[in-house]
Amino acid sequence: LKSCVEQLRRDLDTNSNIWRASQDNGDEIVAPNAVGLDMEFATLDSIRSISIVSLIQVATFQSAFVIDAIKLRPHISQFLGDLLEDPGVVKIVHGGNADIRMLWTDFDIRVANLFDTYQASVSLAKHTATGGHGLGRVVGRYYGTPLDKRLQRADWRIRPLPDRMVDYAADDARYLPGLL
């Protein structure tokens, strides 16, 4: 992860295809043990279920990065492969079946050591009276304020991305490490 984040930092200075949604203090980059992972898709053909990965969001406990997967597509495997395939780092997703499938089919990345907060929420609900398992509701239960999910079905292909879309995308990954 250290080399991945260092590359992100270098690219932030020279590349408009990566956005850092929060600052980090650098301490956690030495030995992170978990990252939040989310992706935004653009549906090209809903009848045939054809989608394109538009953004990949990666978050540590203190920083969230939003990566333009359309413009950086040829580099995603090289850029994120080692991190996502590292069994020493827990990857936290929420209902990540499509994300994991697209990482494998589109980028030949086989995610190791996965924790799905959606599945955890469903399992916990068997023993408690909680309602709703969407990320907005789960974040609301554990952080006190639900996530605004109105941009969930936005057109993630548009460029440049408005700040509110970058913030939305970052939030989808930002809260995941704390749910572990």
Side-chain angles (χ1 to χ4, degrees):
L1 179 60
K2 184 176 182 180
S3 64
C4 178
V5 173
E6 287 171 355
Q7 182 65 46
L8 284 168
R9 284 185 177 148
R10 281 192 296 275
D11 288 347
L12 284 168
D13 295 332
T14 60
N15 192 333
S16 63
N17 303 320
I18 301 170
W19 302 271
R20 179 171 46 202
S22 60
Q23 298 294 326
D24 64 62
N25 64 12
D27 295 340
E28 66 167 314
I29 296 169
V30 176
N33 59 3
V35 294
L37 174 66
D38 189 55
M39 295 165 53
E40 303 301 334
F41 302 92
T43 301
L44 304 177
D45 184 337
S46 59
I47 294 171
R48 288 182 234 149
S49 298
I50 299 173
S51 298
I52 184 170
V53 178
S54 299
L55 299 176
I56 300 174
Q57 303 94 267
V58 178
T60 63
F61 283 97
Q62 296 182 343
S63 294
F65 298 93
V66 179
I67 301 163
D68 187 335
I70 293 173
K71 291 184 179 178
L72 298 177
R73 186 174 187 82
H75 310 287
I76 296 295
S77 295
Q78 165 193 345
F79 201 56
L80 293 174
D82 289 344
L83 168 67
L84 299 180
E85 292 177 345
D86 184 347
V89 178
V90 179
K91 275 60 76 181
I92 306 137
V93 299
H94 188 86
N97 290 343
D99 298 3
I100 301 310
R101 183 180 65 249
M102 294 294 275
L103 284 166
W104 187 352
T105 60
D106 286 19
F107 305 110
D108 199 33
I109 296 173
R110 288 160 182 80
V111 178
N113 199 359
L114 186 70
F115 180 82
D116 192 326
T117 58
Y118 176 84
Q119 296 299 327
S121 178
V122 169
S123 294
L124 290 170
K126 293 177 183 177
H127 306 290
T128 62
T130 59
H133 304 290
L135 182 59
R137 288 268 181 99
V138 172
V139 166
R141 270 197 300 280
Y142 290 96
Y143 286 94
T145 305
L147 285 178
D148 181 353
K149 299 301 290 176
R150 287 181 282 186
L151 293 176
Q152 187 168 17
R153 304 229 185 268
D155 184 354
W156 293 101
R157 296 171 296 175
I158 65 170
R159 298 297 184 269
L161 277 176
D163 288 344
R164 66 186 176 90
M165 290 178 76
V166 173
D167 292 342
Y168 171 93
D171 281 348
D172 273 1
R174 177 189 327 274
Y175 293 99
L176 293 172
L179 294 174
L180 184 63

